[in-house]
Amino acid sequence: MSRSLPSQRNFEDIRKEARELLHDLRRRDAAALRRHYSLDCEAGKFLARLADAQFIVAREYGYRSWLKLKQRLEASPQDISKSVSTILAP
């Protein structure tokens, strides 16, 4: 499941989303487990960790890791603009 990162979201919102997912995974919520199974066939065999929930959230937003997602959310608009300019430069 891939979804776009809303422009008004901040890191605190996403952090809370990961914690809520962790809570749901530990309760063995079916929807949360489906999200986990979609990324890891070993899901459900072990107690979910916060890192697992963070990874799921990051991947769903199209990022390779929680760190990459965090860096994107904490980047200033100028940093993002520079990155785009670098990528688009001939």
Side-chain angles (χ1 to χ4, degrees):
M1 174 171 119
S2 185
R3 50 195 173 140
S4 61
L5 191 60
S7 60
Q8 68 274 15
R9 297 292 297 266
N10 61 35
F11 181 66
E12 188 61 28
D13 294 335
I14 302 297
R15 190 182 70 79
K16 286 179 185 175
E17 181 180 341
R19 290 203 175 271
E20 289 170 6
L21 176 58
L22 175 62
H23 177 73
D24 291 344
L25 287 169
R26 289 188 173 167
R27 284 187 314 113
R28 316 272 307 153
D29 175 74
L33 289 173
R34 272 194 304 278
R35 290 169 71 184
H36 197 178
Y37 287 133
S38 72
L39 296 172
D40 180 5
C41 62
E42 297 289 315
K45 292 185 179 180
F46 306 101
L47 182 65
R49 301 168 301 148
L50 180 59
D52 298 323
Q54 290 171 335
F55 178 73
I56 292 166
V57 170
R59 295 299 293 160
E60 288 178 346
Y61 281 116
Y63 291 84
R64 298 192 75 170
S65 69
W66 180 254
L67 178 61
K68 295 287 185 191
L69 174 58
K70 181 178 186 233
Q71 288 171 341
R72 163 56 182 88
L73 289 166
E74 292 180 339
S76 70
Q78 293 82 11
D79 293 338
I80 295 168
S81 184
K82 279 185 197 174
S83 295
V84 170
S85 296
T86 302
I87 292 169
L88 298 177

